[in-house]
């Protein structure tokens, strides 16, 4: 009850920001970003576009990957109208396709740009079961696995940039507190989804993908620390906001749910605040492997904090991006034991 009251009142936490803080308020307290190159996925609308726009107000060069280049071009036009002189590059990327991820990274690296900031923001919430071209359940493939491979392939460039520039690199995974709704064995459930061994539950599949994003940031932070890299990895819950993420659930029930929860819903600018805080605020220098809500550190679910599960998911993800879901199934089978 106390936490709900704090949220509704917008009471600031130790960071000085709270649920009512906007991305522009947060970025005002951040240093100039004219030397920064940032990749922001899912920036053609909603929280991603607002995150990109606000980073541009501080001078950041933006790279916007998108499945539909026409939508990315429109987002670039809107950002340029709001921030004259904004440097915005658009490149094609379908996160559900591992081949597309590899092609995007090759194209980006060919530009010979530095890379300081990677915001893994894109997400989908489809209501029907589908498999990606790689045989992976589509929600997991788009929301998590594509970002896993994207981060993996860009990591060397980020470490190199941080070393040469002296500027700390930051990786921000946008997740959701819905990750706490998932219980059970994530790897077993993913295998069952891929094999269609369970009735499809769209919300549980979405929760799994967001749990994976938290576990990824935790394990990535450990690996970066062991490397001695000047790059951090954290994850954020933006809050409840009605964006195009719910486009597959439009209708009376969705509208009614948002109306009843209207006092808890954030504006898009408020929802982008935590991402911008973790991406750019000097208070977060050297902070890694953490989970943030309303611009303040919070505790993820017990499963999301399990270091063994984070390491296990990492190895499974490596196997899938190397050999595909079918390879993983043949090698490990449905009864894969814990690591």
């Amino acid at each position: 009850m106390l936490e709900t009251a704090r949220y509704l009142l917008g009471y600031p936490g130790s960071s000085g920001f709270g649920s009512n803080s906007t991305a522009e308020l947060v970025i005002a307290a951040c240093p100039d970003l004219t030397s920064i190159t940032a990749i922001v996925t899912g920036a053609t609308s909603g929280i991603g576009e607002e995150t990109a726009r606000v980073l541009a107000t501080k001078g950041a060069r933006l790279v916007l990957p998108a499945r539909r280049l026409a939508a990315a071009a429109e987002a670039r036009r809107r950002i340029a109208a709001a921030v004259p002189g904004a440097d915005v590059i658009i490149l094609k990327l379908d996160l559900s396709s591992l081949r597309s991820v590899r092609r995007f990274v090759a194209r980006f690296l060919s530009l010979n740009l530095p890379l300081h900031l990677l915001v893994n923001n894109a997400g989908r919430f489809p209501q029907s079961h589908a498999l990606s071209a790689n045989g992976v359940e589509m929600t997991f493939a788009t929301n998590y696995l594509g970002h896993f491979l994207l981060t993996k392939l860009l990591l060397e460039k980020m470490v190199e940039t941080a070393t040469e520039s002296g500027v700390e690199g930051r990786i921000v995974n946008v997740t959701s507190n819905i990750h706490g709704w998932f219980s059970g064995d994530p790897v077993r459930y993913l295998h069952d989804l891929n094999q269609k061994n369970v009735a499809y539950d769209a919300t549980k599949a979405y929760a799994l993908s967001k749990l994976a994003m938290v576990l990824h940031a935790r394990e990535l932070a450990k690996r970066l620390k062991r490397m001695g890299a000047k790059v951090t990895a954290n994850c954020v819950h933006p809050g409840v906001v009605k964006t195009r993420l719910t486009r597959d659930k439009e209708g009376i029930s969705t509208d009614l749910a948002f109306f009843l929860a209207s006092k808890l819903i954030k504006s898009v600018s408020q929802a982008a605040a935590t991402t911008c805080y973790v991406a750019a605020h000097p208070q977060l220098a050297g902070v890694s492997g953490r989970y943030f809500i309303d611009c303040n550190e919070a505790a993820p679910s017990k499963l999301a904090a399990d270091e063994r599960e984070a390491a296990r998911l990492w190895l499974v993800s490596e196997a899938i991006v190397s050999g595909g879901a079918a390879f993983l199934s043949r090698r490990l089978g449905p009864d894969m034991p814990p690591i």
Side-chain angles (χ1 to χ4, degrees), residues 6-7 10-13 15-22 25-26 266 270 273-274 293-296:
R6 288 167 63 92
Y7 176 89
Y11 186 81
S15 68
F17 303 106
S19 61
N20 289 346
S21 298
T22 64
L25 177 66
V26 168
K266 290 185 174 186
Q270 289 169 338
T274 305
I293 299 175
D294 299 333
C295 300
N296 288 276

Side-chain angles (χ1 to χ4, degrees), residues 15-80:
S15 68
F17 303 106
S19 61
N20 289 346
S21 298
T22 64
E24 288 189 337
L25 177 66
V26 168
I27 211 71
C30 296
D32 183 80
L33 301 177
T34 51
S35 65
I36 299 300
T37 298
I39 294 177
V40 184
T41 70
T44 58
S45 65
I47 298 170
E49 183 178 338
E50 178 67 0
T51 298
R53 183 191 70 79
V54 170
L55 291 174
T57 66
K58 279 287 187 174
R61 175 194 290 120
L62 302 174
V63 178
L64 307 186
R67 185 168 55 88
R68 295 191 304 114
L69 290 180
E74 280 298 303
R76 178 171 59 183
R77 182 190 60 76
R78 290 190 295 268
I79 292 171

Side-chain angles (χ1 to χ4, degrees), residues 179-180 182 211 215 218 299-307 309:
H179 81 269
F182 185 88
L211 169 66
L215 292 170
R218 177 173 292 273
S301 71
K302 183 178 179 179
L303 183 57
D306 189 327
E307 293 189 0
E309 203 61 60

